Amino acid sequence: MCGIVGAASLRNVTPILLEGLNRLEYRGYDSAGIAVLREGQLQREREVGKVAALESLLEQRAVKGQLGIAHTRWATHGKPSTLNAHPHLSNASVAVVHNGIIENHEPLRRELEAQGYRFHSDTDTEVVAHLFHYYYATTTHQQDSLNEAAEPAQRLMAAFRATLGRLHGAYALGVLHIEHPDSLLCARMGSPLVVGEGSEEHFIASDPLALLQVTDRFIYLEEGDHALVSRDACRIFDTAGAQVDRPIVRFEHGDQIAEKGDYRHFMLKEIHEQPRVLKATLADKVSDEGRLLASVLGAEAEALLDRVEQVQIVSCGTSYHAGLVARYWLEGLAGLPCSVEVASEFRYRHVVVPNNTLFVTISQSGETADTLAALRFAKRAGYLATLAICNVPGSSLVRESDLRLMTHAGPEIGVASTKAFTTQLLALLWFTVLLGRKWLGEQRLAELIADLAALPAQIEQVLALEPDIAALATRFASKHHTLFLGRGPHYPVAMEGALKLKEISYIHAEAYAAGELKHGPLALVDDDMPVVTVAPSDELLEKLKSNLQEVRARGGQLINFICEDAGLEDGEGFHNLKLPKVSDSVAPILFSVPLQLLSYHVALVKGTDVDKPRNLAKSVTVE
Ligand code: G6P
């Protein structure tokens, strides 16, 4: 959600900042801007729309310098416009980029206006620029922990700390002051920020991906940290203002720098990567001999898991759907009661915590604001322990949880989640099997592990059906509403299918448990409303077939995703896509894939921006 990049170097930083913005654009793309210091001048350029629009603008302007910050925006306060785009300036001497929300921006704005500051935008961010300008102008040279630093840096830091002390809400900040052509200030509270270490140059970014073209060495700022970054040094301070050491971490996915390759969109590439990343996700969790490797969860995990009597899962969006599928597994295979809730509701509820309940978060990014807040709440609420199932090592969720279970999907750039979802499902099924290992018995355990191992090859077979799915997609392009039906664990799979379709094709799609059809949604069915069913050959298939007849009897057009042995043939109003028959345990993972392809091809026919759908962002780091 918004992207920040900054650089302090001996070379011109503008190309580094623009490349960083391009790499971050999937996080927010309604406007972009850059501010660079050069020979005592602050140059700032901003443009509405995607980063390419800013790039075109910069071709006509000579924006060059050795210190700069840049931003790509996903609007929260103030509509997308040039005036609201970051960086925001104060008195042509301070520039600020910001991710997050300053909750007390209104009183701060009134206070600053009373001091004579004029505001030029509707954003919450502009208060930071003026506040910092105010404190810099009024701060005397104070002694602080920067004993070895020159006096001007002390003043800069004192003003920065005074500013941070006034802010309520969430922020990742990058700040420049014209009198300090070597210094980049940054801070993190509730929104991620990393410092990248190069050779005689330093960078900042809201996501390491932004900087992989210049470094693979990163320092992850912790909550409340702020830092003074220059070309040759980076000094980090904690909330109390004490200088601290944070480890330098090498970026693990350095070899997978996100490129589209020959694919038309990142989403398509990511759909096709699923066999490989599912294999990678399983690889560190099951030994060559088929033994479950509980140690990947963290030291002491096994003893702790033996005490688990219930599971509470909390997550958002697609990750929430993964949790809903897992509930069927945890209850059906491991015999553990499980509740699943969206984080934005859970975090404000007065929860009753049953004894020995494991608290599980699921998140692709590990930075989703509501999920993180729910975790922090849970840590005070008396849960047995916390587990993060996550795709990003070093993310806030991973760092703040007792146990971690990594998915290895690699960077996911398409806003609509695909490979992150199926790897979450695989990790959740593995985790269920681990929790239920004593209950399941050796033979069943071995069968389930074999099901997991066979899955990547079965998904290859589904991907080969893409031309047939593309043909089905043409039935949707002119429609405005769609219904998705499923039963059991395939009800949340249907929910995820509906979410994919609305995210990228803007067709209204709703999912229903097929048994609920006659309690309302059947009233909507006519031949203008396609009904998609997720119907593997499991114990509920016969019941689902009756639901199909109910739809057909009202003239509805059915698109059924079924197994080869389902005994359903194409006919008037029946369009079937036959998938390989797989075991019930992994069927929800397999059946997710054709629904991803269906949405993708509908979006292609409609001509929408598949990877960057309107109004959405990849990582939602604001509440
Ligand atoms: C956003 C993304 C979704 C994602 C959700 C939760 O809405 O567009 O794809 O499922 O956030 O994100 P997380 O990173 O916590 O899985």
Side-chain angles (χ1 to χ4, degrees):
M1 181 136 285
C2 302
I4 287 177
V5 59
S9 176
L10 271 177
R11 50 180 164 156
N12 173 25
V13 295
T14 301
I16 300 172
L17 299 180
L18 284 176
E19 174 64 17
L21 288 186
N22 274 311
R23 287 162 178 260
L24 286 177
E25 197 181 39
Y26 71 116
R27 298 197 161 233
Y29 33 83
D30 58 45
S31 53
I34 184 170
V36 171
L37 271 182
R38 187 192 192 187
E39 292 164 6
Q41 294 284 318
L42 188 54
Q43 301 167 277
R44 181 209 28 197
E45 297 296 343
R46 300 175 294 173
E47 189 59 285
V48 181
K50 303 224 166 99
V51 175
L54 178 69
E55 274 176 311
S56 311
L57 180 75
L58 291 181
E59 277 165 19
Q60 302 143 35
R61 320 259 162 104
V63 175
K64 281 188 184 151
Q66 297 170 332
L67 190 85
I69 50 179
H71 190 265
T72 171
R73 180 168 186 250
W74 185 87
T76 56
H77 289 69
K79 63 176 197 238
S81 69
T82 310
L83 282 182
N84 288 333
H86 300 211
H88 291 285
L89 304 188
S90 181
N91 292 281
S93 57
V94 167
V96 171
V97 288
H98 166 224
N99 288 356
I101 292 177
I102 306 300
E103 287 168 3
N104 59 334
H105 70 103
E106 282 176 355
L108 288 175
R109 189 175 180 126
R110 284 196 292 276
E111 185 184 317
L112 287 158
E113 278 170 344
Q115 295 286 346
Y117 284 94
R118 279 193 55 224
F119 280 76
H120 303 280
S121 77
D122 305 319
T123 65
D124 53 333
T125 304
E126 198 179 348
V127 297
V128 183
H130 294 316
L131 206 56
F132 179 61
H133 180 270
Y134 170 79
Y135 281 118
Y136 187 82
T138 54
T139 302
T140 52
H141 302 185
Q142 294 172 355
Q143 289 304 316
D144 62 13
S145 56
L146 275 171
N147 289 330
E148 78 280 22
E151 206 172 68
Q154 292 179 29
R155 181 179 178 195
L156 192 71
M157 289 305 281
F160 192 42
R161 284 179 189 143
T163 305
L164 299 179
R166 299 294 310 282
L167 305 179
H168 300 165
Y171 52 77
L173 289 168
V175 179
L176 300 180
H177 194 292
I178 200 164
E179 289 176 15
H180 298 266
D182 301 321
S183 302
L184 205 57
L185 293 163
C186 62
R188 175 212 163 119
M189 179 70 80
S191 274
L193 200 73
V194 296
V195 176
E197 198 185 64
S199 161
E200 290 193 52
E201 51 189 1
H202 277 94
F203 315 94
I204 62 169
S206 47
D207 184 326
L209 279 185
L211 299 173
L212 287 180
Q213 81 278 20
V214 281
T215 184
D216 63 354
R217 290 156 54 79
F218 295 98
I219 301 168
Y220 290 80
L221 295 193
E222 303 220 338
E223 275 301 273
D225 281 357
H226 55 287
L228 175 64
V229 177
S230 61
R231 190 166 47 74
D232 47 13
C234 164
R235 273 173 282 168
I236 303 175
F237 305 87
D238 65 13
T239 327
Q243 189 163 346
V244 284
D245 275 335
R246 302 280 181 231
I248 297 177
V249 178
R250 216 168 262 279
F251 190 75
E252 279 190 15
H253 299 306
D255 56 338
Q256 300 170 25
I257 297 177
E259 304 287 353
K260 271 201 290 249
D262 292 336
Y263 289 96
R264 188 157 163 198
H265 294 100
F266 278 110
M267 183 181 177
L268 187 63
K269 173 180 174 247
E270 288 158 5
I271 290 173
H272 281 269
E273 280 175 341
Q274 288 176 111
R276 180 175 62 76
V277 296
L278 285 164
K279 217 183 231 170
T281 299
L282 194 61
D284 64 350
K285 298 174 181 66
V286 177
S287 73
D288 291 344
E289 302 77 42
R291 215 163 27 84
L292 298 170
L293 300 172
S295 55
V296 291
L297 292 161
E300 317 293 333
E302 223 163 339
L304 192 92
L305 296 184
D306 282 342
R307 294 171 54 201
V308 174
E309 289 172 19
Q310 311 229 16
V311 178
Q312 171 70 60
I313 298 178
V314 171
S315 42
C316 300
T318 289
S319 300
Y320 168 63
H321 295 153
L324 290 176
V325 174
R327 181 173 62 184
Y328 290 88
W329 287 332
L330 283 161
E331 299 201 331
L333 293 172
L336 289 170
C338 174
S339 309
V340 189
E341 193 166 352
V342 287
S344 54
E345 284 300 310
F346 177 87
R347 64 181 288 194
Y348 291 115
R349 209 156 56 73
H350 294 283
V351 292
V352 177
V353 182
N355 281 342
N356 293 322
T357 303
L358 180 69
F359 183 84
V360 178
T361 54
I362 308 170
S363 173
Q364 188 281 128
S365 62
E367 302 293 350
T368 302
D370 283 321
T371 310
L372 200 49
L375 169 67
R376 289 176 184 157
F377 165 77
K379 286 173 83 169
R380 299 188 305 270
Y383 285 92
L384 174 66
T386 56
L387 162 69
I389 299 181
C390 190
N391 191 37
V392 179
S395 61
S396 303
L397 272 187
V398 170
R399 282 187 287 116
E400 295 184 28
S401 299
D402 302 319
L403 305 175
R404 66 213 50 91
L405 183 55
M406 301 314 299
T407 54
H408 300 294
E412 189 179 68
I413 305 296
V415 165
S417 187
T418 53
K419 61 176 181 168
F421 178 63
T422 48
T423 51
Q424 285 170 348
L425 289 178
L426 181 131
L428 282 158
L429 182 53
W430 174 87
F431 185 60
T432 304
V433 175
L434 181 71
L435 281 173
R437 65 201 181 289
K438 295 188 179 146
W439 211 62
L440 286 161
E442 261 182 41
Q443 193 191 331
R444 184 76 183 111
L445 197 65
E447 279 168 14
L448 287 163
I449 294 172
D451 290 346
L452 284 169
L455 188 63
Q458 291 160 338
I459 289 189
E460 291 281 10
Q461 287 175 261
V462 175
L463 293 173
L465 300 172
E466 186 172 354
D468 302 333
I469 298 171
L472 284 178
T474 54
R475 304 192 160 274
F476 284 79
S478 60
K479 307 294 181 198
H480 299 290
H481 307 277
T482 309
L483 206 55
F484 282 69
L485 301 178
R487 276 181 174 263
H490 296 94
Y491 168 40
V493 169
M495 292 167 81
E496 175 59 13
L499 177 66
K500 286 289 84 83
L501 190 70
K502 61 187 140 193
E503 276 179 314
I504 60 170
S505 74
Y506 318 144
I507 293 174
H508 170 228
E510 267 192 276
Y512 267 87
E516 278 292 290
L517 189 64
K518 48 182 130 358
H519 297 295
L522 200 53
L524 298 171
V525 169
D526 60 19
D527 70 353
D528 210 26
M529 179 162 174
V531 178
V532 177
T533 65
V534 189
S537 299
D538 59 15
E539 59 184 8
L540 296 170
L541 178 65
E542 289 311 315
K543 303 220 172 285
L544 201 101
K545 280 183 181 170
S546 315
N547 303 134
L548 305 190
Q549 294 303 340
E550 289 160 12
V551 171
R552 212 29 230 135
R554 274 86 192 165
Q557 294 291 319
L558 282 155
I559 294 175
N560 305 315
F561 291 89
I562 56 176
C563 295
E564 289 148 345
D565 64 354
L568 278 174
E569 293 311 322
D570 278 6
E572 181 62 28
F574 274 90
H575 311 279
N576 298 317
L577 192 103
K578 294 186 179 167
L579 305 178
K581 169 82 183 100
V582 293
S583 93
D584 288 356
S585 60
V586 294
I589 310 180
L590 187 99
F591 274 75
S592 299
V593 176
L595 299 181
Q596 298 166 349
L597 284 168
L598 181 70
S599 308
Y600 175 77
H601 283 282
V602 174
L604 268 195
V605 176
K606 292 201 72 178
T608 58
D609 190 341
V610 172
D611 286 333
K612 298 184 188 108
R614 69 184 180 201
N615 304 341
L616 300 181
K618 184 72 189 161
S619 175
V620 180
T621 51
V622 294
E623 191 176 340

